[in-house]
Amino acid sequence: MTGVWVLLGVLVLGGVAGALMQARNGRIRAAKAGAPALPGRVSGALAPEGVTLVQISTTFCAPCRHTRVILSSLAEKTDGLTHVDLDVTETPEVAQALSVLRTPTTLALTPDGREVFRVGGVPRGQELLEALKPHLANA
């Protein structure tokens, strides 16, 4: 009988953990104050004007492919928006410097390297555009 209760407890905890992870996936978070200096690989990829969406990916990340499609499409359709995909498989120090704990993570950066916001997981296109509007109006 104890085994049944243990199994039931594990299933409930797993369900709660899965629901929390799903709720956090694709959520836009405002940038923290005092962001670290950008690594050269990132600062060199920034567009001279507008907003650059820097996607942090790894080679074997399946959600990264879906994110790449979403962000590339948004960048093609939106003036002042650029998409850059950085694969950090061989350079984990870039992810560490940016405090990236999961892939994909998308950073919205201004030309001077200031982080506007970040998205952990696959972003939702319409929500991303809404969050970008105030920053693209100045572009």
Side-chain angles (χ1 to χ4, degrees):
M1 188 66 175
T2 303
V4 171
W5 287 111
V6 169
L7 178 63
L8 183 61
V10 168
L11 289 174
V12 168
L13 287 175
V16 169
L20 285 173
M21 288 180 65
Q22 184 63 26
R24 293 186 64 178
N25 190 35
R27 188 179 63 174
I28 297 172
R29 294 180 295 144
K32 295 179 182 173
L38 295 177
R41 186 171 175 204
V42 176
S43 60
L46 297 179
E49 44 186 53
V51 176
T52 303
L53 296 175
V54 179
Q55 176 185 341
I56 307 297
S57 303
T58 52
T59 304
F60 300 106
C61 168
C64 295
R65 290 186 282 264
H66 188 220
T67 299
R68 187 176 304 113
V69 170
I70 291 170
L71 298 181
S72 295
S73 176
L74 283 177
E76 288 173 7
K77 297 175 187 175
T78 310
D79 290 335
L81 187 62
T82 306
H83 170 239
V84 175
D85 186 6
L86 293 179
D87 187 333
V88 295
T89 303
E90 301 297 324
T91 54
E93 63 274 3
V94 172
Q96 184 177 11
L98 296 171
S99 301
V100 172
L101 300 176
R102 67 183 283 195
T103 58
T105 293
T106 304
L107 308 174
L109 301 171
T110 60
D112 62 354
R114 183 177 54 87
E115 184 179 326
V116 177
F117 60 80
R118 67 175 52 202
V119 180
V122 179
R124 296 174 189 100
Q126 196 58 38
E127 288 179 22
L128 194 60
L129 276 178
E130 289 298 318
L132 286 167
K133 274 186 183 178
H135 306 286
L136 293 174
N138 300 332

